[in-house]
Each structure stands twice: as structure tokens, then as C-alpha cells.
Amino acid sequence: MLTVTHVEKVFSGQKVLDDVNLTLSAGEVIHISGGNGSGKSTLLKIIADWLKPDAGTSVIDGHVELGALIENPGFIETETLKRNLLFLLSIRHQTKLETVLPLVSRFGLDIQNRASMKKYSIGMREKVGIIQAVMEDQQLILLDEPTRGLDEQSLTELVKLIAELRQQGKTIIIASHDQATPIAYTDRYVLERGELTRITD
Ligand SMILES: Nc1ncnc2c1ncn2[C@@H]1O[C@H](COP(=O)(O)OP(=O)(O)O)[C@@H](O)[C@H]1O
Ligand SMILES: [Mg+2]
């Protein structure tokens, strides 16, 4: 599904990622913890091919569709939620808006909301970011700090959603500075001083 081999990333002479290795198969749901600035977002961006590593490789199997929420999700700010989702769905033309509506409503969002995205709160934007990362049946899902700004109810929905996706055999990487969410991970990793280490219990 995903093979990260000897990845290094240097910013301004500082090695943010140092020989990072990670192999994931279908159905694995992992957590990557690490303090602010430890390189979590950088690693996810390299996996999503938004950034190139300075050394090493990150390879996603050919048939795999990627869904990603990394840092601040970007939207067409002057358009509504519905127009934004329709635009994103139009890229692959494989999913109809109707199939996404249950996801929208379970996160307490209103597809008929006429407000433009620029009026949405951080938590609302985060929820739209989560929705777009999973709404097209993506098999590899990257969620960077997905609990940011979420209210209690949405947090519960997120935990349920991850459990459902795990049941469906999706591969998920969740990166966050804390471990607060009660998600059943298959493995936990910590990113420290550029090194990614699996936590054994
Ligand atoms: N585009 C960039 N240019 C320069 N430095 C960067 C860039 N992106 C991240 N960094 C630096 O790399 C380190 C890791 O950042 P990041 O991956 O965002 O950490 P985390 O997501 O764990 O908080 C930080 O010191 C950050 O300042
Ligand atoms: Mg980050």
C-alpha cells in the first residue's frame, strides 16, 4: 500500500526527517505523535507527494487513491460548501454528491448552507477537510491533526468514522501532537528528532 524508505528532509540546514522508514498494508490504522515542529506534517506532505524528500523514497501502490487532510484545508473561499464539494467531486467523476450527504449531515454541516466557505469556523473547515479526504472511497487516508477545532459531538463522529473505515479495510495515518482520541490503532509511532519509531507496548 505504502512504502517509505530512508526518507530525509532538510529545511534551512536542519534535518527535519532523518532516515524515516514506514511500510503499511491495507487495513492498518496508525497514529503518529510528536511535538509541534517534529516533522509530522512534512512527512505526510512527502507521502502525499506535495513535497519531495531530499533523500529516500515514498511510494504508494499504483491502484491506490489517496485522500488527505494536511494542515489548513484549502477551499474556494467565495463559494458555498455544496459548490466546493461538487468541484472536488468533478475532478475524478466517480462519486455523486448524494452519496456524500450522509457524511455531511453526520458532522452537523448543512449542504444547503448559503454562506461562503470564508465564513466557516476552524472546526467547520476541519470537518469539510475530513469529509473530502474520505468521500470518494479513498484507500489511503492521511489525517493531520484531524481533531483540531472539533466539538464533542464531531469528535465522537470522527472516532466512529475511523472505526468504520478500518472495518472497510482502509489504510489510515493520523498525525497529532496528542493521543487524546480513543481510536483503536493497529500501531502507534512517535516522531522525535527526525526519527520515526514504533511504540511497542
Ligand atoms: N516549507 C518549509 N520551509 C522551511 N521550514 C519548514 C517548512 N515546513 C516545515 N518547516 C520546518 O520543519 C519543521 C517541522 O515542521 P512540521 O512538519 O510542520 O512539524 P509538525 O507538523 O510536527 O508540527 C519545523 O521546524 C518547521 O518550521
Ligand atoms: Mg503539523
Side-chain angles (χ1 to χ4, degrees):
M1 172 72 60
L2 171 70
T3 313
V4 176
T5 314
H6 302 309
V7 158
E8 282 183 27
K9 187 70 190 175
V10 179
F11 287 124
S12 327
Q14 188 208 349
K15 209 177 256 189
V16 171
L17 300 175
D18 186 2
D19 195 17
V20 168
N21 295 281
L22 178 67
T23 305
L24 291 183
S25 314
E28 292 196 68
V29 178
I30 70 158
H31 184 259
I32 299 177
S33 59
N36 298 131
S38 60
K40 303 181 298 298
S41 298
T42 302
L43 176 57
L44 294 192
K45 286 176 195 168
I46 288 172
I47 292 172
D49 202 21
W50 297 5
L51 271 183
K52 294 284 170 219
D54 292 311
T57 57
S58 177
V59 179
I60 297 173
D61 291 355
H63 61 281
V64 172
E65 297 276 9
L66 175 78
L69 161 64
I70 305 177
E71 293 184 335
N72 307 312
F75 302 107
I76 306 169
E77 297 296 328
T78 52
E79 297 290 347
T80 61
L81 170 63
K82 185 175 177 181
R83 295 278 294 253
N84 270 274
L85 291 179
L86 283 170
F87 168 70
L88 290 170
L89 292 169
S90 74
I91 298 169
R92 286 182 186 146
H93 289 286
Q94 281 170 5
T95 308
K96 295 222 176 318
L97 182 67
E98 291 72 57
T99 60
V100 180
L101 295 183
L103 257 179
V104 171
S105 54
R106 72 188 276 188
F107 278 111
L109 296 171
D110 178 5
I111 196 70
Q112 301 302 346
N113 188 342
R114 294 173 66 177
S116 55
M117 289 292 303
K118 63 175 180 267
K119 305 245 172 75
Y120 277 46
S121 70
I122 289 181
M124 290 165 83
R125 297 172 73 88
E126 192 76 354
K127 292 192 274 191
V128 182
I130 294 167
I131 290 168
Q132 61 80 34
V134 306
M135 69 183 179
E136 294 171 288
D137 201 28
Q138 292 96 326
Q139 295 93 48
L140 176 61
I141 299 160
L142 312 180
L143 299 174
D144 186 16
E145 310 274 4
T147 63
R148 199 174 52 143
L150 294 198
D151 55 33
E152 280 303 315
Q153 209 175 338
S154 303
L155 215 51
T156 307
E157 274 315 318
L158 176 66
V159 172
K160 282 206 286 198
L161 176 66
I162 303 289
E164 289 167 22
L165 294 168
R166 184 179 161 166
Q167 283 262 309
Q168 294 163 20
K170 302 294 171 62
T171 305
I172 310 173
I173 303 178
I174 296 181
S176 64
H177 61 281
D178 56 30
Q179 305 214 13
T181 46
I183 289 170
Y185 295 103
T186 50
D187 274 306
R188 287 173 188 270
Y189 291 78
V190 62
L191 191 53
E192 255 177 341
R193 290 179 293 278
E195 290 179 26
L196 184 71
T197 315
R198 192 162 71 88
I199 301 171
T200 47
D201 33 34

